Amino acid sequence: MSKPSISLCMIVRDEEELLPRCLDSVRTLTDDIIIVDTGSADGTIEIAERYGARVIRHVWQNDFAEARNVGLEAATGDWIIFLDADEVLDPYRCELITSYMSHTEIEGILFQIHSYLDEQVPWQTMITPALRMFRNRPEYRFRNAIHEQIIDSIASHKPDAALGQSDLIIHHFGSDPKRMASKQKIKRNRTALSGVLKKEPTNSYQIYNLAVNYCQTHELEQAVLLFRQCRQYDRQDSPCRSASYLHETICLFRLHRTHEAIAAANEGIGEYDNYTDLYHWLGILHLQTGDTKRAEDMFIHALKLGDAVNYVSHKGTGTFRTRWLLGSLKHHTGAYDLAIQQYTLALDWEPLFSPALRDLARLLRCCNREEELSQLLLRHMNLHGTQMMSPLLAILTEVDSYQTILSLLDRRGPGEESYGEAVIHFRALLLSGKLTEAEQYVTANSILSQNMQHQLEMEQWILWMKKGVPIEILKYPFTGENMENENAAAAWLSFAAKAALVNGHAHTARSITGRWQTAVHREPRAIQNKQACTGLIQTLLYMTDVCLKEAGTLLIEQETQQLLREIRISMCTEDMLEQIQSI
């Protein structure tokens, strides 16, 4: 029996930047490529034809289902897989597709869609199960002018149809807020959804989509009302219904309506008792109310459940993200060894998960056990290769783990460091209080001479560390008017304060942060500058850590404990005002 053939069907417009990556990902899987182009003015059509696609030029009718169905009419494969240009099929376990197609009772295959909020941060990902492959039958056609679906058509024509529940992954890069803003997707979708709901006010699927749209613009009060309205008309087996409980819980959390959020999560668990994300968020909510026992119970239950299967989920819930929060709980209740264990387990799962790496680095630094972090990261580099070096150095610089940076860079042979790594190496030496070694490094390192201005700046820093930083040259331009200049100033001030502290100029360091704090408080608009505010907080935390390390104790005064709690909450709410008020 011959292998079933597969047609790839797509609709595109002006996608020359993304289309090649998408088509490369399915090159060995598909037998037939049909691309419906709705009016491209760039090189999209030429690229598609270069890949052997049949291109159908089609006038856009403001109807996604209609355009998809044009492609289906032309498809010749036994099965159809459909993708968007900003999606990539993961090669992992793709051989299983053949196995699914061989089961005669299976009419479609569910994939796991990994939507990246930031392509450079792989763990900032939402996972959504979605039907993306189905048998090519003339009765199966897409429905809905926006957020088109095929599953309703399959269910109505074949109610007993089985769907293959797979762990096959499609990577989706179109959820990046910058990309969505550039294409005005949010505004376009809201207009279209509002039009649909005027005609179909009880369409629960589109009510849910409109609620998500309001979340994207941070109009959370309206989103909450819509998620509740969605459930009035939805079936219990609908993925939108279960997801609405999760989204409502998160919206209420961000609105500081904690007890309502707890009620929403518990109501959701009453219907979906294996939904990992709801237990995870109950843990966060109980942490916020100060009920650490219930919080711990929820985190442990989420870990027992593991990854949420066939639910909308945040990547890492039930694994590394939950372990980090459990470690955080242990950290702030004084169980430091248990906290270190949980942070380490989180990093074993996701080595570049910066929140766990940041907290582990800080805790080990305070405990005078920073060499353990070096050993952990070297082990991961042996497992995953040196390609981890650049992202690791960036994270370690962010969390002020300079001894670990030096341990990693010491493994580089002569001449193996890139220019960027050499700059980081110098900064790590200076911020570790190794002034003599920093001076020798700048003198002996030939790669730094490639940029004379930077080399002169490094020599100037060494001179200042010997004689003292001239406070009068430091600028505090925090007015909220020029974010780029203010961000650069924040980075410069942070480096100056830290370097001064570890090189014997504690009074200068305190003067820098004191003036910085006054400048931010003086201008309310400066609070909108996240980097300027977090830079100040992180600098103060670093100075606290250095003092703790020198004192050889983890007895943190009450004010610092409160500051840490506010920072923990802000990771989810991004409420900068709370952070500033807590300093």
Side-chain angles (χ1 to χ4, degrees):
M1 183 173 168
S2 61
K3 173 186 170 184
S5 57
I6 301 173
S7 290
L8 168 67
C9 292
M10 301 178 67
I11 56 174
V12 299
R13 180 175 179 174
D14 293 332
E15 296 288 4
E16 64 177 3
E17 179 186 350
L18 298 173
L19 188 58
R21 181 169 64 170
C22 174
L23 294 178
D24 280 334
S25 73
V26 294
R27 194 172 236 169
T28 61
L29 177 71
T30 57
D31 306 281
D32 182 30
I33 300 175
I34 300 97
I35 291 184
V36 177
D37 187 279
T38 60
S40 291
D42 62 1
T44 297
I45 291 176
E46 291 78 7
I47 290 169
E49 290 176 339
R50 198 161 64 238
Y51 278 83
R54 286 186 286 147
V55 178
I56 300 171
R57 291 171 171 83
H58 183 70
V59 177
W60 177 240
Q61 305 293 330
N62 293 316
D63 188 326
F64 284 92
E66 186 267 346
R68 291 264 187 218
N69 290 333
V70 169
L72 297 191
E73 293 292 340
T76 60
D78 300 308
W79 285 75
I80 289 170
I81 184 171
F82 64 98
L83 297 172
D84 291 328
D86 56 9
E87 295 177 332
V88 173
L89 179 65
D90 193 298
Y92 175 67
R93 302 188 74 184
C94 269
E95 69 277 3
L96 292 179
I97 290 177
T98 303
S99 173
Y100 283 112
M101 291 191 299
S102 67
H103 289 271
T104 57
E105 75 280 8
I106 289 180
E107 291 293 305
I109 303 172
L110 289 165
F111 287 68
Q112 304 300 315
I113 313 300
H114 286 221
S115 298
Y116 296 89
L117 303 178
D118 184 339
E119 199 170 332
Q120 304 304 314
V121 186
W123 46 267
Q124 288 280 29
T125 305
M126 284 293 291
I127 302 174
T128 307
L131 183 69
R132 286 306 190 89
M133 192 167 172
F134 56 95
R135 292 187 187 274
N136 186 3
R137 301 190 190 279
E139 62 269 28
Y140 294 167
R141 290 297 181 262
F142 284 94
R143 299 175 181 177
N144 298 325
I146 184 170
H147 294 298
E148 67 282 10
Q149 282 195 315
I150 196 72
I151 193 167
D152 289 343
S153 177
I154 294 173
S156 63
H157 286 94
K158 197 167 185 179
D160 60 343
L163 301 178
Q165 310 277 350
S166 82
D167 57 0
L168 299 165
I169 296 171
I170 292 173
H171 302 283
H172 173 225
F173 301 103
S175 296
D176 186 315
K178 293 179 182 177
R179 185 165 287 157
M180 292 192 75
S182 69
K183 295 210 165 192
Q184 297 186 314
K185 283 186 177 181
I186 297 174
K187 182 179 179 181
R188 177 202 71 189
N189 289 354
R190 183 173 299 180
T191 300
L193 288 166
S194 298
V196 169
L197 289 171
K198 283 182 180 178
K199 300 175 184 177
E200 306 172 49
T202 62
N203 186 326
S204 60
Y205 174 62
Q206 300 295 29
I207 294 171
Y208 170 83
N209 287 321
L210 184 59
V212 172
N213 185 281
Y214 276 102
C215 287
Q216 292 168 334
T217 54
H218 308 291
E219 296 172 80
L220 304 182
E221 297 275 7
Q222 183 64 27
V224 167
L225 295 175
L226 287 167
F227 285 127
R228 291 172 177 172
Q229 183 183 347
C230 153
R231 293 197 296 273
Q232 292 176 14
Y233 307 112
D234 216 347
R235 307 183 314 273
Q236 187 168 348
D237 62 350
S238 165
C240 293
R241 183 179 182 85
S242 56
S244 72
Y245 282 115
L246 175 63
H247 290 308
E248 181 186 341
T249 298
I250 296 172
C251 288
L252 290 167
F253 168 77
R254 289 177 173 160
L255 290 166
H256 305 288
R257 290 157 60 179
T258 306
H259 293 290
E260 286 182 69
I262 290 172
N266 279 320
E267 185 180 347
I269 287 171
E271 293 187 30
Y272 309 98
D273 62 1
N274 63 341
Y275 197 168
T276 304
D277 291 60
L278 292 176
Y279 292 98
H280 174 93
W281 273 95
L282 270 179
I284 293 173
L285 293 162
H286 286 308
L287 260 186
Q288 195 173 39
T289 65
D291 192 341
T292 56
K293 178 62 173 68
R294 282 193 180 182
E296 182 175 356
D297 289 344
M298 292 302 103
F299 290 142
I300 289 173
H301 193 82
L303 289 169
K304 287 179 180 177
L305 288 172
D307 290 322
V309 178
N310 296 321
Y311 290 112
V312 171
S313 177
H314 289 90
K315 185 178 181 181
T317 301
T319 55
F320 63 86
R321 198 182 291 269
T322 308
R323 289 216 178 270
W324 162 60
L325 286 170
L326 184 55
S328 176
L329 184 154
K330 295 298 182 184
H331 188 162
H332 296 300
T333 54
Y336 301 120
D337 286 337
L338 291 174
I340 290 169
Q341 179 189 59
Q342 292 300 325
Y343 291 151
T344 302
L345 288 169
L347 292 169
D348 283 340
W349 194 280
E350 179 57 63
L352 295 177
F353 183 49
S354 57
L357 181 54
R358 177 197 57 229
D359 289 349
L360 178 61
R362 182 166 193 275
L363 183 52
L364 290 175
R365 188 169 62 242
C366 290
C367 293
N368 283 321
R369 293 166 55 182
E370 196 168 351
E371 72 282 351
E372 293 179 31
L373 181 61
S374 302
Q375 293 167 8
L376 171 68
L377 297 180
L378 288 172
R379 175 162 56 85
H380 284 306
M381 288 182 65
N382 289 334
L383 287 172
H384 302 287
T386 55
Q387 68 269 19
M388 285 183 59
M389 178 67 89
S390 293
L392 272 180
L393 290 177
I395 295 169
L396 291 169
T397 299
E398 178 190 338
V399 301
D400 303 309
S401 200
Y402 304 113
Q403 293 292 346
T404 306
I405 288 173
L406 294 175
S407 296
L408 296 181
L409 289 175
D410 283 345
R411 290 169 58 87
R412 294 287 209 210
E416 289 185 359
E417 285 185 346
S418 66
Y419 180 78
E421 289 172 351
V423 172
I424 291 172
H425 198 150
F426 165 76
R427 291 170 61 91
L429 287 168
L430 200 64
L431 292 170
S432 298
K434 298 180 178 181
L435 187 56
T436 302
E437 291 181 40
E439 186 172 13
Q440 293 170 349
Y441 183 77
V442 171
T443 303
N445 196 312
S446 59
I447 195 171
L448 291 174
S449 62
Q450 294 178 9
N451 189 319
M452 291 301 295
Q453 182 180 351
H454 276 184
Q455 190 173 28
L456 289 172
E457 288 175 0
M458 292 176 186
E459 291 171 354
Q460 183 65 68
W461 276 111
I462 291 168
L463 183 63
W464 283 346
M465 291 306 105
K466 288 180 177 180
K467 297 184 177 181
V469 179
I471 292 291
E472 63 275 6
I473 72 165
L474 300 178
K475 306 296 182 184
Y476 304 87
F478 301 115
T479 63
E481 295 177 354
N482 189 324
M483 294 300 186
E484 186 175 348
N485 286 349
E486 293 180 30
N487 291 345
W492 206 83
L493 288 169
S494 181
F495 183 72
K498 294 170 185 176
L501 180 68
V502 299
N503 287 285
H505 304 286
H507 177 74
T508 299
R510 286 193 294 271
S511 296
I512 292 170
T513 53
R515 294 186 183 193
W516 187 353
Q517 183 176 336
T518 300
V520 170
H521 274 294
R522 190 170 51 236
E523 176 52 68
R525 287 178 299 174
I527 291 173
Q528 302 304 315
N529 188 336
K530 181 177 179 180
Q531 187 166 333
C533 297
T534 55
L536 174 56
I537 291 168
Q538 288 168 355
T539 303
L540 290 170
L541 282 174
Y542 173 78
M543 293 168 66
T544 303
D545 289 349
V546 170
C547 295
L548 287 170
K549 186 174 180 180
E550 290 178 354
T553 178
L554 275 163
L555 297 175
I556 305 175
E557 61 271 28
Q558 188 175 357
E559 288 182 15
T560 307
Q561 286 281 18
Q562 178 60 27
L563 173 60
L564 292 173
R565 285 192 206 98
E566 295 294 336
I567 291 172
R568 178 76 55 220
I569 292 170
S570 73
M571 288 171 193
C572 296
T573 65
E574 297 182 358
D575 186 345
M576 297 311 303
L577 184 57
E578 285 187 14
Q579 292 190 21
I580 293 302
Q581 289 173 340
S582 70
I583 296 175

